[in-house]
Amino acid sequence: MPAPLKKLALVLAGGGARAAYQVGFLRSLARAFPDLQFPVITGVSAGAINAAFLANSTDDFPRTVERLTSLWTNLTIDQVFRTDFATVGTNMLRWALRLTLGGAPLAPRTHGLVNTDPLRDYLRNAYGTTQGMLTGVETNLRNGRLKAVGITTTSYTTGETNTWVQGEDLKMWERPGRRSRPTRLSVEHVMASSALPLIFPAVEVDGSWHGDGGMGLIAPLSPALHLGADLIMAVSTRFPRPRIEPDRSVPASYPPPASVVGVLFDTVFLDTLDHDALTVRRVNQFLARQPAGIEEGVRPVELLLQRPTQNLEHLAHEFETELPRAFRFATRGLGTRETSRAGLLATLMFAPGYIRRMIEMGERDGDQRRAEIATFLGLSL
């Protein structure tokens, strides 16, 4: 089937502030293929911020991407969560008191290490929402530019992975531990999908509390597949680390909390996309060897996985001094200066300098693969 006749999906993974890399890659695409459209868009965690913006915009692709670029380049950490000493200190004190009191009735309730109300307000304004609803999605569905969009969250009530879907002629799905749910998408779905566990507070959606969608999403490509994609372009923020020999991987000292949490976040939120991509390729290879008359419901899917050519974590240390003093004090307390692994710092590095660097890297990486991408899409340069 010629690529232009296939249903193309864009899958955007998480990674916190590293999701700015996706914006740079999209800028490269918009410059090379200004008429490109994604009928299916899915996102999780910070990738949900970009996915919702693309699905909600009624502008053409280049103008949409430039507006998305402005969203990120104008973003500062105090527009993501409150960073003053009073707020950060109070939240840390509440956590300490609750641990000290053993969950006694008088112990203060804790919702998260930080308050993310600023991000909610920022997204509502950037998306141009009406009472928080993504009304542009409905417009794009009506005019045929969009077929479906999915935002994934994790339910703290059931532990299930929920993909909230808005689109036309939808076929809902349910698998062990994950299912789809039809809805009208809003900023609250995006906030829930990007709510890092323990750090960002959970968000109430449809009567229950939800957090980061990457926690239980073992198959990040599955929402796009269920929504009918034949061609998938997935953008990860995970740098493929080279294998390190065991004798070189022994740490000089016990790993600080920042190192442990960083590895945890990367494993939960980023590694699964690589494993899922490998599964898709293996299924394609298996199907290619089968005779005609493949079992109904099984089909080959072409996949292009875009990953950074440089480690985005390593750059985070360069911009640590751009963080607000109170928040910098808290992250250093977790040991960010005691380890070379900066997964936690990179996730929370909503600093202008770091974001600009991520966008530049994404744009450069996209430019380097331009010919390959054109072949994948079946388009000419």
Side-chain angles (χ1 to χ4, degrees):
M1 186 185 302
L5 300 180
K6 295 184 177 182
K7 188 180 288 185
L8 174 63
L10 178 66
V11 176
L12 299 175
R18 287 170 286 185
Y21 172 85
Q22 298 169 348
V23 179
F25 179 71
L26 290 170
R27 290 189 82 186
S28 175
L29 288 181
R31 187 169 56 251
F33 314 104
D35 297 325
L36 185 62
Q37 293 184 11
F38 295 100
V40 175
I41 301 175
T42 69
V44 63
S45 195
I49 295 175
N50 295 332
F53 190 94
L54 293 173
N56 189 60
S57 174
T58 56
D59 284 335
D60 59 27
F61 187 43
R63 278 195 288 262
T64 294
V65 172
E66 285 311 303
R67 287 176 51 225
L68 180 60
T69 303
S70 296
L71 182 157
W72 278 93
T73 54
N74 292 324
L75 185 65
T76 57
I77 196 167
D78 59 339
Q79 291 171 317
V80 179
F81 48 81
R82 294 176 181 167
T83 58
D84 57 281
F85 269 110
T87 302
V88 175
T90 299
N91 286 338
M92 294 178 67
L93 181 60
R94 284 176 176 172
W95 278 102
L97 285 175
R98 189 168 183 82
L99 290 172
T100 302
L101 296 175
L106 294 178
R109 297 185 63 83
T110 53
H111 291 171
L113 184 62
V114 297
N115 183 316
T116 54
D117 284 341
L119 179 60
R120 178 179 284 104
D121 294 337
Y122 188 77
L123 291 181
R124 284 179 174 176
N125 181 64
Y127 290 166
T129 61
T130 301
Q131 296 181 334
M133 304 304 297
L134 303 183
T135 54
V137 172
E138 296 178 353
T139 301
N140 289 329
L141 288 171
R142 283 196 303 268
N143 62 30
R145 292 178 56 185
L146 184 68
K147 296 299 181 183
V149 55
I151 302 296
T152 301
T153 67
T154 300
S155 170
Y156 284 131
T157 303
T158 64
E160 284 186 327
T161 295
N162 290 176
T163 298
W164 303 86
V165 182
Q166 186 172 351
E168 295 181 341
D169 302 323
L170 297 177
K171 293 182 180 179
M172 295 295 101
W173 67 90
E174 186 169 352
R175 298 291 184 271
R178 51 192 172 95
R179 65 190 180 107
S180 59
R181 302 183 64 174
T183 191
R184 289 184 63 217
L185 290 170
S186 70
V187 170
E188 295 308 295
H189 293 94
V190 179
M191 290 293 297
S193 183
S194 54
L196 289 169
L198 299 180
I199 297 179
F200 290 3
V203 178
E204 188 175 6
V205 179
D206 197 27
S208 60
W209 295 96
H210 292 254
D212 198 300
M215 285 189 280
L217 187 59
I218 59 174
L221 299 176
S222 64
L225 294 172
H226 284 295
L227 294 173
D230 302 300
L231 204 65
I232 297 178
M233 184 177 294
V235 188
S236 173
T237 59
R238 173 70 146 159
F239 174 73
R241 290 190 178 88
R243 186 177 182 277
I244 302 176
E245 295 300 323
D247 59 337
R248 294 180 55 196
S249 63
V250 178
S253 59
Y254 192 84
S259 181
V260 176
V261 174
V263 171
L264 175 64
F265 280 0
D266 284 352
T267 302
V268 172
F269 303 131
L270 301 181
D271 288 353
T272 52
L273 181 56
D274 287 336
H275 295 303
D276 206 20
L278 178 60
T279 300
V280 168
R281 293 190 178 105
R282 286 177 172 172
V283 170
N284 286 343
Q285 292 170 0
F286 171 78
L287 293 177
R289 295 193 296 268
Q290 303 307 306
I294 301 172
E295 181 184 352
E296 183 179 358
V298 180
R299 67 187 191 281
V301 177
E302 297 179 54
L303 171 67
L304 186 144
L305 177 58
Q306 175 64 37
R307 296 188 294 189
T309 55
Q310 294 184 34
N311 194 329
L312 307 187
E313 289 185 17
H314 292 169
L315 296 173
H317 283 296
E318 296 181 24
F319 298 94
E320 191 231 12
T321 55
E322 290 189 16
L323 294 175
R325 182 180 301 177
F327 188 72
R328 188 167 69 242
F329 179 82
T331 57
R332 288 180 179 178
L334 293 173
T336 54
R337 285 195 158 189
E338 302 170 32
T339 176
S340 60
R341 300 190 67 97
L344 174 62
L345 198 60
T347 300
L348 301 174
M349 185 55 70
F350 295 95
Y354 183 74
I355 289 173
R356 285 194 298 270
R357 184 72 68 84
M358 294 300 98
I359 293 174
E360 292 169 0
M361 290 178 60
E363 194 168 0
R364 185 189 65 230
D365 287 354
D367 289 346
Q368 290 176 349
R369 297 187 71 182
R370 183 173 296 177
E372 180 186 354
I373 293 170
T375 300
F376 174 77
L377 295 173
L379 301 174
S380 58
L381 291 173

